[in-house]
Amino acid sequence: MDINRKTAYYTLLRMEKNTSYSNIELNNQIRTMKPDSPAFVRDLVYGVLENKLYLDYLLEQLVKKGLRKLDAEPHVLLRMGIYQLMFMDSVPDYAAVNETVKMAKKFCFYQTKMINGVLRNFQRSRETLKQPINEEDPVKRLSAAYSFDPWITKLWLDQYGEERAASLMAASNLVPPFTVRVNTLKTTPEELRVRLEERGVQAYYSQVSKNVLTLEGHGLLELPEYTEGLFFVQDAGSAASVEALEPRPGDTVIDVCAAPGGKSFVCAEMMENTGDIHSFDIYEKKLEAIEKHARRLGIHIIHTALNNAEELRADLVETADKVICDVPCTGLGVVRRKPEIKYRKVKNEGRDLAKKQLQILQTSSKYLKKGGYIIYSTCTVNKIENADVVGNFLKNNSNFRLIHSRQLMPNGEGTDGFYYCKLKKKY
């Protein structure tokens, strides 16, 4: 049995049965199974995940008893087989079918005949199968075509209209670029670009953040430049939000939901490693990771501590010049990095979550001195969690003024879907 397909199968099966993140599960399986072509495994896993509802749309026309009664094991194998037949040009059709049938004999023996029949029927009828474009209902049409849960499809249709929603979905299904923030405490973007290109790594400047580079190459986190702390992984949208906050040397900054630490690191750079940054999170391991990366980057002004962002730290009231309030969200802006987000159910289109976000913003705002600034940000594309939360905050806090807000989009600026808003405390 092919070890690469077996590794992909175990990854997809565990994700189907659990709620683990794709990158974590995939890396665990690759470490355990040791496939001889990790790149093939990643292509197959992410390909199936990104197209899951579209594959099911086709399978519904091929599986006589329907998919609802199908166990996870044959369902995953059918998706894998159909995906290889449709999208993986490097895989011959006979190999896609034969290898899937071999796996069926081991993992769901009594479904082997059905799986073989469905795949061969697909080969014969693939040109005549109904396609999502023929669906009259726009929610069903876009959900199937781009493999987004109907609740997200409806949300984006309502907020952006069909053309922009379709464009956003298409962009969210693309492979994201590998972007890094240059550690300006140790180097400059130009110096790092030259060093990386000498190693065969192509580096391109971001149009959104001046100190972010897009890299193309292999083993990027194994480079000496990474080990030496010359850069860290960060999307340009995330970096831009901190740049808008404009932290200065000597400032006191509070980062209320700091993990994985990128915004605190940008602050430290812009503050020239002088002042104080309090980086909070609710998980000890995440704080340990922040401390580890801070040491690699040569940053010594970050102080980590366990803290629930909804709960006020009385000792920090009116002590901060700047506050970073990057709240938990639905994550709809990072679908291209975590395709499993497309299928997660969220109640009330994120309205329940928005209540928590507003509470965190309300609590965080109390840490500011008069004249201080706070950035509210999310990695989602949902007005309910973004503009609406800020609007509700301003209604109840007349001592704050909106300075600037921005929604970055995968189908616009090419960044993650990232929202940030800068507010000033007047009195």
Side-chain angles (χ1 to χ4, degrees):
M1 183 184 301
D2 177 49
I3 186 63
N4 299 305
R5 290 179 174 85
K6 185 177 178 182
T7 305
Y9 169 76
Y10 279 135
T11 302
L12 291 165
L13 184 64
R14 283 184 60 85
M15 292 200 63
E16 190 69 14
K17 292 185 173 183
N18 303 302
T19 57
S20 55
Y21 285 111
S22 55
N23 59 333
I24 296 174
E25 187 59 50
L26 181 56
N27 289 335
N28 286 341
Q29 291 298 333
I30 288 176
R31 280 195 296 269
T32 302
M33 303 289 289
K34 296 180 173 56
D36 50 48
S37 180
F40 177 90
V41 176
R42 293 183 188 280
D43 287 347
L44 182 51
V45 167
Y46 282 117
V48 170
L49 283 176
E50 288 164 0
N51 294 278
K52 189 166 75 169
L53 296 188
Y54 176 56
L55 297 173
D56 284 356
Y57 182 86
L58 300 177
L59 284 169
E60 280 286 3
Q61 302 172 59
L62 298 166
V63 178
K64 292 181 179 179
K65 294 183 179 180
L67 298 179
R68 289 186 179 182
K69 296 183 179 180
L70 207 59
D71 291 335
E73 290 79 2
H75 198 167
V76 167
L77 286 175
L78 283 171
R79 286 173 180 157
M80 289 174 60
I82 295 291
Y83 180 79
Q84 291 172 76
L85 289 169
M86 287 197 70
F87 298 106
M88 299 189 78
D89 295 335
S90 63
V91 179
D93 283 7
Y94 73 86
V97 175
N98 292 346
E99 292 298 329
T100 304
V101 171
K102 283 182 184 178
M103 294 175 71
K105 289 178 180 178
K106 177 174 176 60
F107 298 116
C108 48
F109 180 80
Y110 292 105
Q111 300 291 336
T112 302
K113 183 177 179 181
M114 181 272 292
I115 290 173
N116 183 51
V118 168
L119 295 181
R120 296 193 182 282
N121 188 17
F122 174 78
Q123 288 181 285
R124 292 189 296 268
S125 61
R126 61 192 302 172
E127 300 300 329
T128 61
L129 290 174
K130 183 180 179 181
Q131 294 294 325
I133 195 172
N134 298 315
E135 296 289 346
E136 292 186 8
D137 178 16
V139 173
K140 189 171 183 179
R141 182 168 61 248
L142 295 185
S143 290
Y146 297 103
S147 285
F148 275 79
D149 190 276
W151 86 264
I152 304 173
T153 306
K154 185 178 183 306
L155 178 79
W156 284 351
L157 280 168
D158 291 343
Q159 294 186 0
Y160 297 104
E162 185 167 349
E163 184 176 349
R164 290 185 68 193
S167 173
L168 177 55
M169 289 178 174
S172 297
N173 283 341
L174 298 176
V175 177
F178 187 88
T179 54
V180 301
R181 168 81 184 196
V182 179
N183 181 5
T184 55
L185 297 175
K186 293 188 174 185
T187 187
T188 67
E190 179 59 20
E191 289 173 352
L192 180 60
R193 185 189 67 80
V194 171
R195 283 189 59 170
L196 292 175
E197 291 192 346
E198 287 175 352
R199 298 186 184 279
V201 176
Q202 294 299 308
Y204 306 95
Y205 294 108
S206 167
Q207 299 300 310
V208 174
S209 174
K210 64 181 181 179
N211 290 326
V212 169
L213 297 175
T214 296
L215 306 185
E216 293 180 0
H218 300 288
L220 298 172
L221 298 185
E222 299 170 3
L223 294 170
E225 287 76 14
Y226 178 78
T227 305
E228 293 170 20
L230 302 189
F231 68 85
F232 57 93
V233 178
Q234 188 177 49
D235 183 72
S238 180
S241 68
V242 183
E243 291 165 3
L245 185 60
E246 299 179 291
R248 298 174 181 175
D251 273 351
T252 295
V253 177
I254 297 177
D255 189 349
V256 299
C257 301
K263 295 179 183 64
S264 290
F265 302 153
V266 176
C267 269
E269 292 172 29
M270 296 181 71
M271 293 163 61
E272 300 175 7
N273 227 359
T274 64
D276 289 290
I277 300 172
H278 300 277
S279 300
F280 297 142
D281 203 83
I282 59 174
Y283 298 108
E284 185 69 45
K285 287 187 177 180
K286 291 186 177 182
L287 293 177
E288 291 172 359
I290 291 174
E291 293 168 359
K292 176 183 177 181
H293 286 295
R295 288 192 296 271
R296 180 177 63 83
L297 296 168
I299 295 169
H300 55 73
I301 62 170
I302 290 177
H303 316 287
T304 64
L306 287 169
N307 188 60
N308 184 336
E310 293 182 79
E311 299 174 1
L312 183 69
R313 279 274 303 265
D315 59 315
L316 294 177
V317 171
E318 296 187 349
T319 63
D321 301 288
K322 312 280 168 55
V323 172
I324 301 172
C325 183
D326 186 57
V327 297
C329 65
T330 51
L332 300 181
V334 293
V335 164
R336 58 186 187 168
R337 301 185 190 279
K338 300 175 181 178
E340 62 274 10
I341 289 173
K342 297 198 292 181
Y343 314 114
R344 289 183 177 168
K345 305 292 184 183
V346 174
K347 294 181 179 179
N348 302 323
E349 298 180 318
R351 287 181 175 83
D352 290 350
L353 187 54
K355 294 177 183 177
K356 179 176 183 177
Q357 294 162 340
L358 180 59
Q359 178 59 47
I360 293 175
L361 177 56
Q362 184 69 50
T363 300
S364 303
S365 69
K366 298 183 185 302
Y367 298 139
L368 276 179
K369 301 174 183 176
K370 177 183 176 181
Y373 294 91
I374 184 170
I375 283 285
Y376 171 84
S377 62
T378 73
C379 59
T380 195
V381 182
N382 182 2
K383 294 177 182 179
I384 293 168
E385 300 175 75
N386 296 337
D388 289 358
V389 169
V390 173
N392 287 330
F393 173 80
L394 289 172
K395 285 180 184 178
N396 298 316
N397 294 272
S398 59
N399 59 328
F400 277 82
R401 178 167 62 92
L402 173 64
I403 302 299
H404 174 68
S405 65
R406 189 179 189 186
Q407 175 71 69
L408 294 159
M409 304 282 266
N411 60 325
E413 295 79 5
T415 65
D416 289 342
F418 198 89
Y419 172 86
Y420 65 86
C421 173
K422 183 178 182 180
L423 302 167
K424 180 179 181 178
K425 184 177 181 181
K426 297 184 293 183
Y427 56 88

